[in-house]
Amino acid sequence: MPITPATATHSSSNGTAEAILLELVDEDGVTIGTAEKLAAHQPPGQLHRAFSVFLFDEQGRLLLQQRALGKYHSPGVWSNSCCGHPYPGEAPFAAAARRTYEELGVSPSLLAEAGTVRYNHPDPESGLVEQEYNHLFVGLVQAPLRPDPEEVGATAFVSPAELARRHAADPFSAWFMTVLDAARPAIRELTDPSTGW
C-alpha cells in the first residue's frame, strides 16, 4: 500500500501528531476555511467538501464497500465504492482517484464527474454529523481489487435487484441513498440500460 498523507503517521517538527484538515465551504461550494476532521463532524457539523465514487464492473454491477470495523465513523456498514475528503486545495477528482487506489488497491479505467449534492446526515450510532458538499464520480473498474483491510471490511458487486435486497437486510451508511440518487443520471449514462440503474 502506498504511503500517503491519509495513511502515514503525521508528526510535526516538535514530534506531536498533526491534525488532518478538511476544507470548509459555503452553500455554493466555495472554500471558506479549514477544520480538523473530527471537529468538522461534531454536532451540529461544519459544511465541508467531500467526494463519493460509484464504480461498476463490465456487467454493469455496482461495487459496494463495507467499511472496516476500525473506522471512527460508520464502522461496519455498507456504502458506495469509495468516499472521503479532499485535502485543502486538492481537486476533488484527484482526491477521488487517490482514495480509490488507497482503499481498494485499483485505479478506475474510467472516472467521470457526476455532479454535486449537499446533505446533512446525523449518524445515530456515533453521534457524528455528515454535513457535506459532496462531489460525485462514476467510473469503471476492470482490474482485480486489493482492498486495504484497515479501510475496507468487504466488497461486493451488485445489480439493482441485489442492492435492493441487501439494503433491506444490512446496515448502510446514512448518506448512501442520498449520494446514489444524486448520481443516478450519470450512472444511467455510464451503464447499459438493460442493467436497470
Side-chain angles (χ1 to χ4, degrees):
M1 183 181 72
I3 300 298
T4 69
T7 58
T9 300
H10 294 283
S11 296
S12 64
S13 58
N14 65 6
T16 59
E18 290 180 27
I20 296 175
L21 296 178
L22 304 186
E23 198 168 83
L24 300 180
V25 298
D26 66 14
E27 293 292 337
D28 297 315
V30 177
T31 303
I32 57 172
T34 60
E36 190 276 325
K37 184 177 181 179
L38 189 56
H41 290 88
Q42 298 288 343
Q46 298 178 72
L47 183 59
H48 57 275
R49 195 175 308 284
F51 64 83
S52 290
V53 178
F54 295 87
L55 296 177
F56 294 82
D57 67 7
E58 292 170 331
Q59 288 78 48
R61 298 177 303 168
L62 171 62
L63 173 60
L64 295 179
Q65 175 189 139
Q66 185 182 36
R67 295 167 62 84
L69 291 175
K71 301 282 277 185
Y72 80 100
H73 188 346
S74 302
V77 302
W78 289 90
S79 198
N80 47 295
S81 309
C82 179
C83 56
H85 308 94
Y87 296 122
E90 182 182 27
F93 183 92
R98 172 180 58 79
R99 283 304 288 165
T100 298
Y101 185 80
E102 290 172 355
E103 292 187 11
L104 298 169
V106 65
S107 294
S109 55
L110 179 145
L111 191 64
E113 294 183 6
T116 59
V117 63
R118 193 263 195 248
Y119 54 79
N120 178 359
H121 286 301
D123 175 29
E125 293 295 317
S126 67
L128 300 175
V129 177
E130 287 292 1
Q131 184 87 254
E132 294 186 330
Y133 188 93
N134 198 307
H135 297 257
L136 307 171
F137 298 92
V138 297
L140 299 174
V141 61
Q142 295 173 304
L145 303 176
R146 296 182 323 250
D148 176 353
E150 292 188 11
E151 298 286 343
V152 181
T155 59
F157 283 97
V158 297
S159 68
E162 290 165 337
L163 174 60
R165 286 193 296 272
R166 188 179 288 262
H167 192 262
D170 296 328
F172 272 70
S173 64
W175 62 87
F176 176 75
M177 287 308 298
T178 300
V179 293
L180 176 63
D181 287 344
R184 278 187 197 274
I187 291 170
R188 290 185 183 120
E189 284 185 26
L190 177 73
T191 59
D192 189 286
S194 67
T195 60
W197 290 107

